[in-house]
Amino acid sequence: MEIVMAFVCGFLFMAAVYLILSRSLLRIIIGTGLLSHGAHLLILTMGSFKGTVPPVLSDGVTDFADPLPQALILTAIVISFGVTAFFLVLAYRAYSELKTDDMSLMRGSEENE
Amino acid sequence: MFQVFCIFIPLLAAIFMPFFFKKISSIHTGWFVLVVPVFLVIYYATFVPAISKGDTIIEQLEWIPSLGISFVSYLDGLSLLFSLLISGIGALVVLYSIYYLDRTREKLHNFYIYLLMFMCAMLGVVQSDNMMTLYLFWELTSISSFLLIGYWNNRDKSRFGALKSTMITVAGGMMMLGGFVLLSIMGDTFSIRELIAQAPELVTNDLFVVALVLILLGAFTKSAQFPFYIWLPDAMEAPTPVSAYLHSATMVKAGIYLVARFTPIFAQSEVWVWLVSATGLLTLFWGSFFALKQRDLKGILAFSTVSQLGLIMSLLGVGAIAYHVEGAESSIFKYAAFAAIFHLINHATFKGSLFMIAGIVDHETGTRDIRKLGGLMSIMPVSFTVAIIGSFSMAGLPPFNGFLSKEMFLTAMISIAQFDLFNFSTWGILFPIIAWIASVFTFIYSFYFVFKTFTGKGNIEELPHKPHEAPVGMLISPVILAGLVVVLFFIPNILADTFIKPAVMAIQPFLYSSPEQINIHVAAWHGEITTELYMTFGIIALGLVLYLTLAKWQKMYNLFPSKLTLNNLYDFVIYELFDKWVARLSGQYMTGSIRRYLSYMLGSIAIIVIATLFIQDAFRVSFEDASPIRPHQIIVILVLVVGTITTVFAKSRITSIVALGLVGYTVSLFFVMFNAPDLALTQLVIETISVALFLLAFYHLPQYRKEEERTRFRFSRAFVSIAVGVMVTLVALSAHSQKFIGSISEYYKETVYSLAGGGNIVNVILVDYRGFDTLFEVAVLAIAGIGIFAMIKLRLSTKGDKL
């Protein structure tokens, strides 16, 4: 399963990078969303899928899934959410100020470089 | 301690100059400055008896002991001679500048601060035994020279000249630093004395020739050797005292000093002998040839300086041959080093006086253009006399000191033709020929300089000022120097015993153990007619003929294409290559487009990682550790892939956002399948909020437009994204397939209840084992919240018209 998941993560990264390289600000933000999904799945995959029960103590079972990657991902999810929210509002503000969402128009000019 | 301190006296004195200038404005600041070099001359003169016996005096002041860097004042024949030149001519130049620069119109405090700074730097250069401090002072001379050339900084030409000289000399200085570092690696010391002691072992080192060439580049740029001489003529925009001091007597001789100082180390090498002698000779010829093209008095003197420095340099190169000759004490090559030092002293005297005369002419007539000058002989008799003495000495005529050193120069050049090592037997014959031709040109431009200025008809009425003889104070210094020119002709052996022989000992320390062993006796007349005397006759005869017909053939200089000069090459490199082409090049890839930068970054990361994987042979796929694949997992994966493809290629934004939501929920399904309940829960909630947020934000954002882009970029975009995807897959596969140590999680699993008292291991990790992460993750959320609030609420820029 880990082998398949490696390909899934690679696919997510590919799609994310493709979106991030687009002109529209919206697509870029969606791309970052896909990128964080890919990263989270990658962390989980790298922790391996051994263990058959969730990492919660219960009587008689010791075959837990690895809890550490899960803790890391949980932190990462929250942080990427915060960043995405910020980014969204930033895009909104940029659009309301600049009246464009086209990245190729948002260049530094000679004066404000 | 006082000896090291003396190097810094000029720098200390410089601090007080603004006070003198501002507070005691009735007295010319130069008089206060004059005290410093006069004191230094007297102080260094006290060392003369000891040094002339062959002693060396050394004093050290630790600066960075842990790195072996210290200020060292090492006085031997060579450095004492230079110290005396620096302080002696410094005193005369300061005296001259008192009359040259006007007290009320010039910013004298600046001038004298720079000048004193320079004096300190030069003393440091010639006395430093530690290469690092030598380099420090070396660059200080470049900086102070820059400031002095650009002294009249409201003139374009001054700024241009200052920049040019700094570019070239600092570039050379950097090379020299590299050479020093290599030398210190080879010899494990910064001390030149210790390196000289190790010289025989150093020759075999692989770095030796590299260090040699680098140090020579430093010396050649500073001493205006071919092809780096181009800064010197442009440095003539400096006030004349500066030209006389820096660009004839002292700074340009720093390179000479460096070559002389390092001769005991590098002379073992054939490369050194050839480079130094050939470059010197080429410079000698080139400078003397093009001096006649000049119309500016100081321009002639600048080229003449270039040429004479080449002469000294070539003599040092020939002197290095003494290291390769059996029984060198009796060979002819010992003359070369002697002649180099002798000519160095002579050049400092006559060139200093000539520059001062050029300054006087400029000061009294208002022009330095030789075509406008003429017939000043009867108006400025004293200046004329001094100019005659200086020029004739430069031309190598008796009874002036230039004659003696020129004779010795010719002797050395003739002897090299008979030398049969390093291919000198074939090429060596060129040396006396080129030297002779250059001497002829030297003769002509010396006459050109003095007679075109002072004799002939001239049109005195048309000069900017009405000419008259310079004030007495201005004439003191050139008269003293001209006096020396004559005196040195008659007492060369006293000079030789006191200064030259100890200096030669510093250049050729292996050959002699005391200065008395150098059995060279200078005489104006050997009592016999030698080859070099015939050559001198030839120089005078041909020189006179060519000078008298100068008007006819001087036009030939115009035949040289003005595009193919070294100055044009410099301008091209600085202004075309760097300013235009490099700017154009960086404009090519620095487009300001963030997409482009991102594709550079992501693409290069992918390529580097993939390449490294295969170069290091790190790529593995192992199916051993993998857990089984279940059918329902395949279905979820298919859903995820479909969702992702939809997200990427959706035509409308609402499709995109829903598809992104779909991906998020499948990810949370993955978390369910892989036994991560907390993650699944969080992912569900977050995904829901995110989708809501996206929808909210999209309400304010414009519709998707069709992606319009050039096919070239579409290709690179596809390439970069595929490369990144492949990279992630490959890295994930390799990382999965080769795990070396187990997980730390066993510890958490075992102790979660006994130590932390919890059952949910993930939550315990988050708040107990690794609570810090959580703390700052909370901080991140808080900051994001505040940031969002601030972005929406604070709209300072909407009032203005620009973002």
Side-chain angles (χ1 to χ4, degrees), chain B residues 159-183:
Chain B
R159 296 200 302 269
F160 175 78
L163 187 66
K164 190 169 179 177
S165 73
T166 310
M167 287 283 208
I168 293 173
T169 53
V170 170
M174 287 289 180
M175 307 275 182
M176 192 186 77
L177 178 65
F180 284 174
V181 171
L182 289 182
L183 261 188

PDB file of all heavy atoms in Angstrom, chain B residues 159-183:
ATOM      1  N   ARG B 159      36.636  62.317 -11.257  1.00  0.00           N
ATOM      2  CA  ARG B 159      35.903  61.153 -10.739  1.00  0.00           C
ATOM      3  C   ARG B 159      36.158  59.929 -11.596  1.00  0.00           C
ATOM      4  O   ARG B 159      36.329  58.824 -11.091  1.00  0.00           O
ATOM      5  CB  ARG B 159      34.409  61.463 -10.679  1.00  0.00           C
ATOM      6  CG  ARG B 159      34.050  62.571  -9.706  1.00  0.00           C
ATOM      7  CD  ARG B 159      32.598  62.510  -9.339  1.00  0.00           C
ATOM      8  NE  ARG B 159      31.746  62.619 -10.510  1.00  0.00           N
ATOM      9  CZ  ARG B 159      31.278  63.775 -10.983  1.00  0.00           C
ATOM     10  NH1 ARG B 159      31.579  64.904 -10.368  1.00  0.00           N
ATOM     11  NH2 ARG B 159      30.512  63.797 -12.035  1.00  0.00           N
ATOM     12  N   PHE B 160      36.200  60.153 -12.909  1.00  0.00           N
ATOM     13  CA  PHE B 160      36.467  59.032 -13.802  1.00  0.00           C
ATOM     14  C   PHE B 160      37.843  58.432 -13.521  1.00  0.00           C
ATOM     15  O   PHE B 160      38.000  57.218 -13.389  1.00  0.00           O
ATOM     16  CB  PHE B 160      36.368  59.502 -15.251  1.00  0.00           C
ATOM     17  CG  PHE B 160      36.750  58.461 -16.261  1.00  0.00           C
ATOM     18  CD1 PHE B 160      35.852  57.454 -16.591  1.00  0.00           C
ATOM     19  CD2 PHE B 160      37.989  58.467 -16.866  1.00  0.00           C
ATOM     20  CE1 PHE B 160      36.200  56.486 -17.518  1.00  0.00           C
ATOM     21  CE2 PHE B 160      38.341  57.503 -17.786  1.00  0.00           C
ATOM     22  CZ  PHE B 160      37.437  56.516 -18.113  1.00  0.00           C
ATOM     23  N   GLY B 161      38.838  59.320 -13.419  1.00  0.00           N
ATOM     24  CA  GLY B 161      40.196  58.844 -13.162  1.00  0.00           C
ATOM     25  C   GLY B 161      40.302  58.121 -11.837  1.00  0.00           C
ATOM     26  O   GLY B 161      40.956  57.082 -11.729  1.00  0.00           O
ATOM     27  N   ALA B 162      39.641  58.672 -10.816  1.00  0.00           N
ATOM     28  CA  ALA B 162      39.704  58.050  -9.493  1.00  0.00           C
ATOM     29  C   ALA B 162      39.084  56.666  -9.533  1.00  0.00           C
ATOM     30  O   ALA B 162      39.634  55.693  -8.996  1.00  0.00           O
ATOM     31  CB  ALA B 162      38.979  58.925  -8.470  1.00  0.00           C
ATOM     32  N   LEU B 163      37.955  56.573 -10.207  1.00  0.00           N
ATOM     33  CA  LEU B 163      37.276  55.280 -10.279  1.00  0.00           C
ATOM     34  C   LEU B 163      38.133  54.266 -11.036  1.00  0.00           C
ATOM     35  O   LEU B 163      38.285  53.119 -10.612  1.00  0.00           O
ATOM     36  CB  LEU B 163      35.925  55.453 -10.973  1.00  0.00           C
ATOM     37  CG  LEU B 163      35.046  54.220 -10.967  1.00  0.00           C
ATOM     38  CD1 LEU B 163      34.636  53.900  -9.544  1.00  0.00           C
ATOM     39  CD2 LEU B 163      33.831  54.426 -11.829  1.00  0.00           C
ATOM     40  N   LYS B 164      38.700  54.727 -12.125  1.00  0.00           N
ATOM     41  CA  LYS B 164      39.484  53.821 -12.952  1.00  0.00           C
ATOM     42  C   LYS B 164      40.694  53.287 -12.197  1.00  0.00           C
ATOM     43  O   LYS B 164      40.954  52.089 -12.199  1.00  0.00           O
ATOM     44  CB  LYS B 164      39.930  54.583 -14.203  1.00  0.00           C
ATOM     45  CG  LYS B 164      40.544  53.735 -15.287  1.00  0.00           C
ATOM     46  CD  LYS B 164      40.679  54.602 -16.531  1.00  0.00           C
ATOM     47  CE  LYS B 164      41.304  53.845 -17.673  1.00  0.00           C
ATOM     48  NZ  LYS B 164      41.360  54.667 -18.885  1.00  0.00           N
ATOM     49  N   SER B 165      41.406  54.200 -11.538  1.00  0.00           N
ATOM     50  CA  SER B 165      42.594  53.742 -10.819  1.00  0.00           C
ATOM     51  C   SER B 165      42.201  52.778  -9.718  1.00  0.00           C
ATOM     52  O   SER B 165      42.892  51.789  -9.466  1.00  0.00           O
ATOM     53  CB  SER B 165      43.356  54.936 -10.250  1.00  0.00           C
ATOM     54  OG  SER B 165      42.659  55.463  -9.164  1.00  0.00           O
ATOM     55  N   THR B 166      41.077  53.045  -9.064  1.00  0.00           N
ATOM     56  CA  THR B 166      40.681  52.158  -7.976  1.00  0.00           C
ATOM     57  C   THR B 166      40.270  50.801  -8.509  1.00  0.00           C
ATOM     58  O   THR B 166      40.666  49.767  -7.965  1.00  0.00           O
ATOM     59  CB  THR B 166      39.521  52.780  -7.193  1.00  0.00           C
ATOM     60  OG1 THR B 166      39.878  54.097  -6.874  1.00  0.00           O
ATOM     61  CG2 THR B 166      39.256  52.013  -5.940  1.00  0.00           C
ATOM     62  N   MET B 167      39.497  50.808  -9.578  1.00  0.00           N
ATOM     63  CA  MET B 167      39.085  49.531 -10.165  1.00  0.00           C
ATOM     64  C   MET B 167      40.296  48.654 -10.441  1.00  0.00           C
ATOM     65  O   MET B 167      40.325  47.473 -10.093  1.00  0.00           O
ATOM     66  CB  MET B 167      38.373  49.772 -11.496  1.00  0.00           C
ATOM     67  CG  MET B 167      36.999  50.336 -11.368  1.00  0.00           C
ATOM     68  SD  MET B 167      35.896  49.033 -10.895  1.00  0.00           S
ATOM     69  CE  MET B 167      34.393  49.631 -11.583  1.00  0.00           C
ATOM     70  N   ILE B 168      41.284  49.243 -11.083  1.00  0.00           N
ATOM     71  CA  ILE B 168      42.410  48.434 -11.534  1.00  0.00           C
ATOM     72  C   ILE B 168      43.306  48.042 -10.372  1.00  0.00           C
ATOM     73  O   ILE B 168      43.669  46.874 -10.212  1.00  0.00           O
ATOM     74  CB  ILE B 168      43.197  49.195 -12.619  1.00  0.00           C
ATOM     75  CG1 ILE B 168      42.319  49.319 -13.861  1.00  0.00           C
ATOM     76  CG2 ILE B 168      44.478  48.470 -12.960  1.00  0.00           C
ATOM     77  CD1 ILE B 168      42.886  50.171 -14.943  1.00  0.00           C
ATOM     78  N   THR B 169      43.637  49.024  -9.510  1.00  0.00           N
ATOM     79  CA  THR B 169      44.572  48.662  -8.435  1.00  0.00           C
ATOM     80  C   THR B 169      43.915  47.758  -7.401  1.00  0.00           C
ATOM     81  O   THR B 169      44.573  46.876  -6.864  1.00  0.00           O
ATOM     82  CB  THR B 169      45.141  49.916  -7.743  1.00  0.00           C
ATOM     83  OG1 THR B 169      44.059  50.733  -7.339  1.00  0.00           O
ATOM     84  CG2 THR B 169      46.034  50.688  -8.661  1.00  0.00           C
ATOM     85  N   VAL B 170      42.639  47.956  -7.141  1.00  0.00           N
ATOM     86  CA  VAL B 170      42.000  47.090  -6.152  1.00  0.00           C
ATOM     87  C   VAL B 170      41.831  45.677  -6.709  1.00  0.00           C
ATOM     88  O   VAL B 170      42.008  44.695  -5.988  1.00  0.00           O
ATOM     89  CB  VAL B 170      40.662  47.676  -5.680  1.00  0.00           C
ATOM     90  CG1 VAL B 170      39.889  46.675  -4.864  1.00  0.00           C
ATOM     91  CG2 VAL B 170      40.910  48.922  -4.853  1.00  0.00           C
ATOM     92  N   ALA B 171      41.542  45.594  -8.009  1.00  0.00           N
ATOM     93  CA  ALA B 171      41.470  44.254  -8.602  1.00  0.00           C
ATOM     94  C   ALA B 171      42.812  43.553  -8.438  1.00  0.00           C
ATOM     95  O   ALA B 171      42.870  42.378  -8.043  1.00  0.00           O
ATOM     96  CB  ALA B 171      41.092  44.357 -10.076  1.00  0.00           C
ATOM     97  N   GLY B 172      43.892  44.291  -8.719  1.00  0.00           N
ATOM     98  CA  GLY B 172      45.220  43.706  -8.531  1.00  0.00           C
ATOM     99  C   GLY B 172      45.488  43.364  -7.081  1.00  0.00           C
ATOM    100  O   GLY B 172      46.076  42.328  -6.778  1.00  0.00           O
ATOM    101  N   GLY B 173      45.036  44.256  -6.180  1.00  0.00           N
ATOM    102  CA  GLY B 173      45.238  44.000  -4.751  1.00  0.00           C
ATOM    103  C   GLY B 173      44.552  42.721  -4.309  1.00  0.00           C
ATOM    104  O   GLY B 173      45.093  41.950  -3.505  1.00  0.00           O
ATOM    105  N   MET B 174      43.373  42.489  -4.867  1.00  0.00           N
ATOM    106  CA  MET B 174      42.654  41.254  -4.538  1.00  0.00           C
ATOM    107  C   MET B 174      43.442  40.023  -4.979  1.00  0.00           C
ATOM    108  O   MET B 174      43.562  39.040  -4.253  1.00  0.00           O
ATOM    109  CB  MET B 174      41.297  41.238  -5.249  1.00  0.00           C
ATOM    110  CG  MET B 174      40.317  42.178  -4.650  1.00  0.00           C
ATOM    111  SD  MET B 174      39.799  41.553  -3.077  1.00  0.00           S
ATOM    112  CE  MET B 174      38.678  42.819  -2.593  1.00  0.00           C
ATOM    113  N   MET B 175      43.976  40.110  -6.184  1.00  0.00           N
ATOM    114  CA  MET B 175      44.807  39.005  -6.681  1.00  0.00           C
ATOM    115  C   MET B 175      45.970  38.778  -5.727  1.00  0.00           C
ATOM    116  O   MET B 175      46.301  37.646  -5.366  1.00  0.00           O
ATOM    117  CB  MET B 175      45.388  39.357  -8.052  1.00  0.00           C
ATOM    118  CG  MET B 175      44.377  39.772  -9.050  1.00  0.00           C
ATOM    119  SD  MET B 175      43.679  38.355  -9.836  1.00  0.00           S
ATOM    120  CE  MET B 175      42.604  39.135 -10.985  1.00  0.00           C
ATOM    121  N   MET B 176      46.579  39.897  -5.316  1.00  0.00           N
ATOM    122  CA  MET B 176      47.739  39.793  -4.451  1.00  0.00           C
ATOM    123  C   MET B 176      47.365  39.131  -3.139  1.00  0.00           C
ATOM    124  O   MET B 176      48.107  38.286  -2.625  1.00  0.00           O
ATOM    125  CB  MET B 176      48.289  41.198  -4.207  1.00  0.00           C
ATOM    126  CG  MET B 176      49.626  41.216  -3.573  1.00  0.00           C
ATOM    127  SD  MET B 176      50.089  42.895  -3.187  1.00  0.00           S
ATOM    128  CE  MET B 176      49.124  43.182  -1.738  1.00  0.00           C
ATOM    129  N   LEU B 177      46.208  39.493  -2.612  1.00  0.00           N
ATOM    130  CA  LEU B 177      45.753  38.860  -1.369  1.00  0.00           C
ATOM    131  C   LEU B 177      45.674  37.349  -1.567  1.00  0.00           C
ATOM    132  O   LEU B 177      46.103  36.566  -0.710  1.00  0.00           O
ATOM    133  CB  LEU B 177      44.393  39.426  -0.969  1.00  0.00           C
ATOM    134  CG  LEU B 177      43.778  38.812   0.286  1.00  0.00           C
ATOM    135  CD1 LEU B 177      44.617  39.126   1.494  1.00  0.00           C
ATOM    136  CD2 LEU B 177      42.361  39.310   0.503  1.00  0.00           C
ATOM    137  N   GLY B 178      45.133  36.955  -2.735  1.00  0.00           N
ATOM    138  CA  GLY B 178      45.082  35.524  -3.023  1.00  0.00           C
ATOM    139  C   GLY B 178      46.467  34.905  -3.000  1.00  0.00           C
ATOM    140  O   GLY B 178      46.674  33.833  -2.415  1.00  0.00           O
ATOM    141  N   GLY B 179      47.410  35.601  -3.622  1.00  0.00           N
ATOM    142  CA  GLY B 179      48.786  35.097  -3.619  1.00  0.00           C
ATOM    143  C   GLY B 179      49.335  34.988  -2.212  1.00  0.00           C
ATOM    144  O   GLY B 179      49.986  33.995  -1.856  1.00  0.00           O
ATOM    145  N   PHE B 180      49.062  35.998  -1.391  1.00  0.00           N
ATOM    146  CA  PHE B 180      49.534  35.971   0.000  1.00  0.00           C
ATOM    147  C   PHE B 180      48.961  34.777   0.743  1.00  0.00           C
ATOM    148  O   PHE B 180      49.663  34.087   1.489  1.00  0.00           O
ATOM    149  CB  PHE B 180      49.128  37.255   0.723  1.00  0.00           C
ATOM    150  CG  PHE B 180      49.963  38.445   0.356  1.00  0.00           C
ATOM    151  CD1 PHE B 180      49.644  39.713   0.834  1.00  0.00           C
ATOM    152  CD2 PHE B 180      51.077  38.309  -0.453  1.00  0.00           C
ATOM    153  CE1 PHE B 180      50.417  40.814   0.506  1.00  0.00           C
ATOM    154  CE2 PHE B 180      51.844  39.391  -0.799  1.00  0.00           C
ATOM    155  CZ  PHE B 180      51.507  40.652  -0.311  1.00  0.00           C
ATOM    156  N   VAL B 181      47.662  34.563   0.545  1.00  0.00           N
ATOM    157  CA  VAL B 181      47.023  33.458   1.259  1.00  0.00           C
ATOM    158  C   VAL B 181      47.648  32.135   0.837  1.00  0.00           C
ATOM    159  O   VAL B 181      47.961  31.278   1.675  1.00  0.00           O
ATOM    160  CB  VAL B 181      45.505  33.476   1.007  1.00  0.00           C
ATOM    161  CG1 VAL B 181      44.864  32.218   1.551  1.00  0.00           C
ATOM    162  CG2 VAL B 181      44.875  34.698   1.651  1.00  0.00           C
ATOM    163  N   LEU B 182      47.873  31.985  -0.465  1.00  0.00           N
ATOM    164  CA  LEU B 182      48.492  30.744  -0.933  1.00  0.00           C
ATOM    165  C   LEU B 182      49.883  30.575  -0.329  1.00  0.00           C
ATOM    166  O   LEU B 182      50.246  29.493   0.129  1.00  0.00           O
ATOM    167  CB  LEU B 182      48.601  30.755  -2.459  1.00  0.00           C
ATOM    168  CG  LEU B 182      47.283  30.605  -3.216  1.00  0.00           C
ATOM    169  CD1 LEU B 182      47.552  30.575  -4.705  1.00  0.00           C
ATOM    170  CD2 LEU B 182      46.566  29.342  -2.802  1.00  0.00           C
ATOM    171  N   LEU B 183      50.634  31.684  -0.308  1.00  0.00           N
ATOM    172  CA  LEU B 183      51.974  31.613   0.277  1.00  0.00           C
ATOM    173  C   LEU B 183      51.906  31.208   1.743  1.00  0.00           C
ATOM    174  O   LEU B 183      52.686  30.372   2.203  1.00  0.00           O
ATOM    175  CB  LEU B 183      52.652  32.978   0.186  1.00  0.00           C
ATOM    176  CG  LEU B 183      53.646  33.205  -0.943  1.00  0.00           C
ATOM    177  CD1 LEU B 183      54.342  34.527  -0.723  1.00  0.00           C
ATOM    178  CD2 LEU B 183      54.667  32.099  -0.995  1.00  0.00           C
TER     179      LEU B 183
END
